[in-house]
Amino acid sequence: MLFADWRAAALALLPLMTTTSLAANPATNLSTSPAAIPDGVPRALAQERAARVSDLHYQLSYRLVPHAPTTDATEQIRFELRDAGKPLLLDFRDGQIADIRLNGADIPAQIVNGHVLLPAQVLQTGENVVDARFTANIGVAGKAITRFDDHDDGAEYLYTLFVPMDASMALLCFDQPDLKGRFTLQITAPDDWTVIANSAPAATRPAGDGFRTTDFGATEPISTYLFAFAAGPFVNVHPEQGMPNVWVRKSQAAKAEDAVPAVQQTAAEGIRYLSNYFAQPFPFPKYEMVLIPGFAYGGMEHAGATFLREESVIFRTAPTAINRLNRDVVVLHELTHQWFGDFTTMRWFDDLWLKEGFAQYMAYKALADLRPNEDIWQRFYQSIKPAAYGIDETPGTTPIYQDIPNLKDAKSAYGAIVYEKAPGVLKQLNYVLGDEAFQRGLQIYLAQHKYGNATWSDLIDAFQSASGRNLTAWADMWIRHRGMPRVEVSWSCQGGRLSELRLTQHPFLQYETSGADEVWPIATGIALGYPDGSVGTLRAELQTQSAEVPLGPEGQACPAWVYANNNDHAYGLFLLDAKSRGAVMQQIATMPDLFRRTLLWGSLWDSVREVELDPAAYAKLALDALPAEHDELLAASLLARTDTAAHRYVGAAQQRGLLLQGAQTAIDRMIHDPDHDLRIVWFRSLAGFGAQGVGQAAMKQLLSGQLTIPGVTLRQQDRWSLVTALIAYGDRDADTVFAAEQKRDSSGDGLKFAYVAQAARPDAATKAHYFDEYLHNPQRSEDWIQSSLGAFNYWSQSQLTAPYLQPSLEALEQVKRERKIFFLVAWLDAFMDGQQSQASLDVVRNYLATANPDPDLRLKILQAMDELDRTVRIRAAYAH
C-alpha cells in the first residue's frame, strides 16, 4: 500500500473514541497496576522488549502549521511479537493521543509514566499493528521538535532532536537503541518550506490551502534517536553533482556560499576515505547536511541527514586555519557516525563511547591522512587530552563504560570521558596493536553487526581476532575502570651516562572501589632531552606498578630532562620531575619540534594545576615566549592558560602585572605579527587581558575604527565580545558602546549577542533578572541562555555572583530535567569557575553533604567542583 493511501486508510480507521469494550474492562486496561509502569526506559524493560519485538516498521505523517504549538500526526507501527502472553509498553510522553487501535481494536489512549500499554488480550504472536492519532508539542526550548524564529526575515524553522530518548516526545515508539526500525515519513507543510529527512523525497503533491505534502521512502533499519526531519524555507547552497547537499536558512544563504564548498569537499573526501578504511560502502542511500541555528550540539548524526550547528560552519568571528580545521573535524566526526552509530549502533547507552569515541578518533585519523601537512596529532593532543584529563583527575569521573540503569539518565553519559578520553585511549590501542590490526579489527566489527547493535565486548573480540592478542586485561582497566594513572619518572646518571631510568604508576585518585595496586597496561615513548637541544627517544611498556626501562645495548648519554609520553601515544598524567622541569623551562621557548614543545608546555601546566609550579612563573614564561611562537593552536592554548592563571590563581599584585603585560603584548602583536592568523589569536586574547585602562582603550578604538588589525575585518561576534568585556569591566563608556553596537547590528544574531553582553552588567539587579529568566522563562532559547552563562559569571565579578552559587545548585534537578544534554555541565562549570574562595568551596561541599543529590548529579558536581578546589589550593600556596 502506498504511504499516501495508508494515511487515508488510517484516518478512516480511527474515529474519536466513544465507548470500547476494552476500556470498559479494567482487566484489559492494565494487567499490572499503573503504579507498576516504570518511568523512563529501564534496562530490564528494554531487554524484555528486545527479546519479544522484531521487524519494526513505522509509518508517520505530520502536519506542520506555522507558529502552531503542536503538530497533528498519524502513525502506524507494524512489528513481529514472539510472546503475546503479557502486555507490551510503547513509549510516548509530552503529547496527547486522540485515539489508538491495536490489531483493529480500540484500546485506552492512556499515558502512564511516558508509556502506553498494549494489552495482552489484543496482542498476538506474529504481526501486530498499532494505529494512532496524536499531537506532539513544538517549542523554542525543552521540546523534541524545536522551533527557531529567524529575526532577520521572520521565517520559521522546525527541527527534531531525539537523542538519547526524546523520540517518544514526538511519536509513539519503542524508544531504545537496539530496537531498530524502518521509518516511512510523510510531512504536510507550507508550499514555500523544504523538508529534509533521513531518506530522499519519493513524491510531492499539493495539499490545498498553501500546503504541500512530501512523501519520503523507507529508511534502512535505524534506532529511534536517529530518525529526524527539518522543515522551513531552507536553501540548498552550492548544489553540485557528486557532492552532499548542504541546506541553510534563506537569510544566511549568501554568507554560506563561501563556507559550503569546503564542507562539501571534506565530506566527499571523508566518504571515500572511510568507505575504503572500513571496507564498507557508505551505508545509506544519500547524505545531506542541514545547518541549524543555535543547535544544542556541534552536530547530530541522523542517518543520511546530519544536522550541524550553523555557527560551526558559518563563522561569526574572523576565522583562522585552526577554525577551518576544527570545522573539518566536526564534519568528519558526524560523517563517521554513519558507520559507527547509525550502521552499527551500541546496544545501550552505557556503550556511548562506541560511537562518540570512535567518531572523534576517526575524524582525526582521517584528517591525518587527508591533510598530511597539518600536524594533526598535535591538534588531537591539544583538543582532546586536556579536557579528558580535566575530568579524569576529579572525584566525579566515571569509566568509559558507564552503567546507565534507565535511559532517562542517559544524558549523564555525555561528556569528556566519551568524547575525549575514549579517543585518547583508542590512540593508545592503535599504538599497541599497530595500524594494520587496528584497521582490520574495525572492519571485522562492522561486518559482524551490519544495521545491528553491538557492545564493547564485541569490539574487543574483533580486535583480538585481528591481532591475535589477548586484550582482556587492557579492556578491563581502560574501559571498565574509572580514573587514570599518574606516571612518574625517576632517573640518575653516573660518569656522564644514564645509569637508571624507572617508570612508576599509581592511580591519580583513590576511590572507594579502587586500590593502590591498580595497574593500567601502558605503552609509551620516552624523550631524553640534552643541553644542546638534541633529543633521543626510547619505547617502553609498563605492565606493573614500577619497571626499569631498558636503555639499549650501548646505553644513553645523561640527559638534561626526561619526558615519559613522547608523541602522546599513552594516556595518563605524565609530570616532569623537578630537575627536568627546570631544564625544560630553560629550553622550551626555542625547542624546534612543535609536537614536543606542545606536550612539554602541557606538562608544565599540569604542574601548575598540581600545585608544583608557581602559576605566575608559568604565565610570565608563556608571555615572554609567546611573541616568538609561530603555531596558532599552541599560541591560543598558552594565552588561554595564562588568562586562567592571571584570573584565578595569582594574587592581586601579580594579576595586575600579568594583565598589563598581556594587554600590551596583545595590542602589539595583533598589529605587528607577520602571521595573519596569529594576529587574530592575539586579538581574541585582548578581552581577557583588558581589565585595565590600556586594554579598555584599545577595545574601544577597535570598535570605533580608530585602531585596525592589518588584513583582518572584525566580524559580528568579534565586536560583541569586546562590548561584553567593556560592560563586564564597568568601563565608563560601556553603555554608549553597547547602544552604538545595537544600532549597528540589529540582526537576529545581534539580538542574541546583545542579550549575552547585558548579562555581564556588574550590578545586582541585572544578575537577579537573568537568573530568574534562566529558570522561569520557557520562551527564552536554550542557546541564548547557555551562551550568556559565562558573561553572567564573568571572572571579575566573583563577589557579585557568589550569592547565586547556592541557588544554581538547588536548580540542578530542574536543569537536568528540562535542558538538553550538555547544558547541565555548562551550567555547573559557569557558576563554579566564576568563584575562587574557600567560602564558595564550602557552599558546594555543604550542598553535597546535606542535599543528597542523585548519584549522577553528585558526580557532575564533583567534576565541576574540582577546578574550584584547585583554585583554592593554588591560591593558598602562591597567591601573595
Side-chain angles (χ1 to χ4, degrees), residues 370 556 561 680 711:
L370 296 172
Q556 304 288 330
W561 55 265
I680 295 174

Side-chain angles (χ1 to χ4, degrees), residues 22 78 174 226 286 445 457 523 683 751 832 859-860:
L22 286 172
R78 290 184 292 115
F174 299 103
L226 295 168
K286 60 95 175 175
Y445 171 77
S457 58
F683 158 74
L751 294 176
M832 290 204 207
L859 289 175
K860 291 293 189 288

Side-chain angles (χ1 to χ4, degrees), residues 265 471 492 524 726 845:
Q265 184 64 35
L471 296 173
S492 58
T524 189
L726 290 167
R845 287 176 172 167

Side-chain angles (χ1 to χ4, degrees), residues 696-707:
Q696 292 175 35
M699 287 190 279
K700 288 185 285 189
Q701 290 168 355
L702 285 165
L703 289 168
S704 69
Q706 293 174 275
L707 180 64

Side-chain angles (χ1 to χ4, degrees), residues 499-659:
S499 57
E500 182 184 30
L501 177 59
R502 177 171 291 275
L503 299 181
T504 302
Q505 64 162 300
H506 56 82
F508 182 82
L509 289 175
Q510 292 292 315
Y511 305 108
E512 62 276 9
T513 57
S514 69
D517 59 345
E518 285 189 330
V519 173
W520 283 264
I522 298 170
T524 189
I526 298 177
L528 308 176
Y530 295 95
D532 64 357
S534 62
V535 178
T537 59
L538 298 168
R539 179 183 169 117
E541 294 202 11
L542 189 59
Q543 306 291 338
T544 56
Q545 280 189 311
S546 184
E548 195 165 334
V549 178
L551 301 178
E554 299 181 3
Q556 304 288 330
C558 184
W561 55 265
V562 178
Y563 178 63
N565 193 15
N566 192 52
N567 285 333
D568 188 42
H569 290 300
Y571 182 93
L573 191 70
F574 292 83
L575 292 175
L576 294 162
D577 63 275
K579 181 179 179 181
S580 295
R581 187 164 60 242
V584 165
M585 292 178 74
Q586 291 293 322
Q587 293 186 15
I588 194 165
T590 57
M591 287 181 179
D593 186 283
L594 171 61
F595 198 179
R596 186 171 295 119
R597 191 167 71 247
T598 301
L599 290 168
L600 291 171
W601 273 115
S603 186
L604 291 176
W605 181 245
D606 289 336
S607 295
V608 171
R609 301 188 76 249
E610 287 301 297
V611 202
E612 295 182 359
L613 176 62
D614 186 338
Y618 177 95
K620 187 69 167 62
L621 181 69
L623 286 174
D624 289 345
L626 268 163
E629 179 53 61
H630 61 268
D631 181 72
E632 175 201 335
L633 186 58
L634 179 53
S637 171
L638 291 175
L639 285 166
R641 288 166 172 169
T642 299
D643 186 273
T644 297
H647 292 166
R648 297 182 191 168
Y649 297 161
V650 303
Q654 294 168 314
Q655 182 181 79
R656 285 191 295 272
L658 291 172
L659 293 181

Side-chain angles (χ1 to χ4, degrees), residues 278 340 344-346 351-359 361-362 400 422 425-426 429 433 437-449 453-467 469 471 474-475 479:
F278 294 141
F340 270 87
T344 301
T345 311
M346 74 272 163
D351 271 327
L352 179 64
W353 76 281
L354 283 182
K355 72 183 189 79
E356 296 301 345
F358 265 97
Y361 180 65
M362 287 305 304
I400 289 177
V425 167
L426 289 169
L429 182 59
L433 298 182
F438 186 84
Q439 180 180 3
R440 180 62 186 144
L442 298 184
Q443 293 174 351
I444 292 171
Y445 171 77
L446 291 173
Q448 290 176 339
H449 304 284
N453 298 86
T455 67
W456 73 275
S457 58
D458 295 320
L459 181 64
I460 296 302
D461 287 346
F463 280 131
Q464 290 183 149
S465 176
S467 66
R469 295 184 58 149
L471 296 173
W474 184 93
I479 306 303

